[in-house]
Amino acid sequence: CTVSVKTIGSVVNKIIGKIRRAMSEMWKSTTFNTENLMIDETTGMVGIDNEETGKREYKNRYFWGFKANLKKMVWFIYEHGSRAAKVLRPILDEFIGFFTSDGYIVYKIYDKEDHPNQRRSACLTHIRRNFIDSLIENHEGSMWFIEEFGKLFGVEYECRKLNLSPEDRLNYRKKHSVSMMDRIKKKLEEYFSSGYAGCGELFTKALKYARREWSAMETVLENGGLELSNNLAEQMMRHFKRTLKNCLNIGSERSAKNVAFMFSVVESCAMNAISPVVYIKDLLVKFADENISNQTLLPCYYAKVC
């Protein structure tokens, strides 16, 4: 017999939804049971029911991604497509540790002193990107910062090459990166004191962003598990975005929650060198005769590596 694509899609959606409802809380708590997180967000087209017209409209809505490198787990969420603080606050207020993000204003809430349990680390790649954009306007000034940032990334490269533990990595940073970061901070303050005279619009924008973020950038000198950039989270979101573009849209908000969870599965499996197809198949088999909320079934503990 022939089964329509619509029917297959409906069955798959129901399966994903069942796994999500059984495992989501455990998945989330395990992902956040870490000292270091990376966070990013992206958009996708989601079908929203218009209560006034009774019709479904497709609108750009936000998905959030949380990546725990040391735990080798990923958690995606969809909360009515919102990018507001009301989504992030209930999650991060309970988290204790460090997280890396860009300079989006909602993340910067945690730069304040009334959030001592959460420490934000800025993304050096985002800071550098603005100086790359300003090369056309002020080549000499922009290149000075780009080269200094390159030296900081060079220290990180040496840490990886030496396969240093987070503790040894932190000590290596303190020995080699502190003077560089102080030099960059001093230069930023010099431009600020001059009122950015003669800097140009793009270069001034880069300087101001870097100065606002530099205190959070220095957080990497507090914890060796932190990365200098949020690239790993951005790469994760690009995988997510590319797939959403291929499927064009998500039919409903209920489906959006299932899609978010499915990407939690796929990205977590990738981090643990597990085939997501075999993993999901095994979960469905265990669903029949075991408690699927067993923590050992999470990718970071899963014994069957494919």
Side-chain angles (χ1 to χ4, degrees), residues 35-39 92 95-101 107-122 214-223 226:
E35 191 178 29
N36 303 106
L37 279 175
M38 288 183 165
I39 310 175
L92 279 189
F95 172 70
I96 300 176
F98 298 82
F99 71 91
T100 306
S101 74
Y107 299 130
K108 290 174 73 67
I109 292 171
Y110 295 92
D111 293 348
K112 299 177 181 178
E113 293 180 358
D114 56 347
H115 291 282
N117 292 328
Q118 300 85 20
R119 297 282 286 127
R120 185 178 77 91
S121 178
W214 204 251
S215 177
M217 187 66 246
E218 292 176 325
T219 305
V220 296
L221 300 175
E222 300 175 24
N223 186 282
L226 290 170

Side-chain angles (χ1 to χ4, degrees), residues 184-240:
I184 294 169
K185 183 176 182 179
K186 182 180 178 181
K187 181 70 73 171
L188 290 170
E189 292 303 320
E190 288 175 0
Y191 278 109
F192 172 73
S193 298
S194 72
Y196 304 108
C199 289
E201 183 179 352
L202 293 176
F203 189 46
T204 298
K205 176 185 174 182
L207 292 167
K208 287 182 175 180
Y209 182 82
R211 184 173 180 271
R212 288 196 303 269
E213 289 290 274
W214 204 251
S215 177
M217 187 66 246
E218 292 176 325
T219 305
V220 296
L221 300 175
E222 300 175 24
N223 186 282
L226 290 170
E227 300 287 340
L228 248 65
S229 81
N230 210 29
N231 272 356
L232 293 176
E234 286 195 343
Q235 290 169 10
M236 172 184 76
M237 300 311 282
R238 278 198 289 271
H239 300 160
F240 186 84

Side-chain angles (χ1 to χ4, degrees), residues 30-262:
T30 302
T31 302
F32 282 78
N33 184 23
T34 184
E35 191 178 29
N36 303 106
L37 279 175
M38 288 183 165
I39 310 175
D40 204 1
E41 73 285 339
T42 193
T43 57
M45 297 296 290
V46 178
I48 309 295
D49 291 328
N50 188 317
E51 295 181 1
E52 294 181 1
T53 64
K55 295 181 179 180
R56 181 162 294 182
E57 302 171 353
Y58 286 89
K59 298 183 179 181
N60 246 343
R61 290 292 186 259
Y62 276 94
F63 294 79
W64 300 74
F66 304 85
K67 188 180 182 75
N69 289 327
L70 298 179
K71 200 74 176 182
K72 294 187 177 181
M73 289 288 288
V74 168
W75 177 242
F76 280 94
I77 64 168
Y78 177 87
E79 292 295 336
H80 302 293
S82 175
R83 196 190 184 202
K86 65 182 180 181
V87 176
L88 191 66
R89 290 293 300 272
I91 298 172
L92 279 189
D93 282 358
E94 296 181 0
F95 172 70
I96 300 176
F98 298 82
F99 71 91
T100 306
S101 74
D102 58 31
Y104 175 43
I105 190 170
V106 171
Y107 299 130
K108 290 174 73 67
I109 292 171
Y110 295 92
D111 293 348
K112 299 177 181 178
E113 293 180 358
D114 56 347
H115 291 282
N117 292 328
Q118 300 85 20
R119 297 282 286 127
R120 185 178 77 91
S121 178
C123 173
L124 187 57
T125 299
H126 274 83
I127 294 172
R128 182 179 63 180
R129 194 171 295 157
N130 288 322
F131 287 100
I132 293 174
D133 291 342
S134 68
L135 277 168
I136 191 172
E137 182 181 77
N138 190 322
H139 188 273
E140 182 179 354
S142 298
M143 276 305 302
W144 186 91
F145 284 98
I146 292 170
E147 288 173 355
E148 291 298 307
F149 298 153
K151 294 173 185 176
L152 289 174
F153 280 118
V155 172
E156 299 305 301
Y157 173 78
E158 290 298 321
C159 289
R160 287 192 294 273
K161 190 167 70 172
L162 294 169
N163 197 27
L164 298 181
S165 66
E167 182 179 358
D168 289 337
R169 187 184 190 185
L170 180 60
N171 291 330
Y172 197 89
R173 276 179 185 162
K174 288 181 177 179
K175 182 177 180 181
H176 297 281
S177 297
V178 171
S179 60
M180 299 178 195
M181 297 188 79
D182 286 344
R183 188 162 60 244
I184 294 169
K185 183 176 182 179
K186 182 180 178 181
K187 181 70 73 171
L188 290 170
E189 292 303 320
E190 288 175 0
Y191 278 109
F192 172 73
S193 298
S194 72
Y196 304 108
C199 289
E201 183 179 352
L202 293 176
F203 189 46
T204 298
K205 176 185 174 182
L207 292 167
K208 287 182 175 180
Y209 182 82
R211 184 173 180 271
R212 288 196 303 269
E213 289 290 274
W214 204 251
S215 177
M217 187 66 246
E218 292 176 325
T219 305
V220 296
L221 300 175
E222 300 175 24
N223 186 282
L226 290 170
E227 300 287 340
L228 248 65
S229 81
N230 210 29
N231 272 356
L232 293 176
E234 286 195 343
Q235 290 169 10
M236 172 184 76
M237 300 311 282
R238 278 198 289 271
H239 300 160
F240 186 84
K241 187 75 171 180
R242 189 182 305 120
T243 302
L244 292 187
K245 284 184 177 180
N246 289 338
C247 69
L248 299 181
N249 55 56
I250 299 169
S252 67
E253 294 205 283
R254 179 175 63 85
S255 294
K257 286 182 176 291
N258 289 341
V259 167
F261 180 74
M262 181 50 61

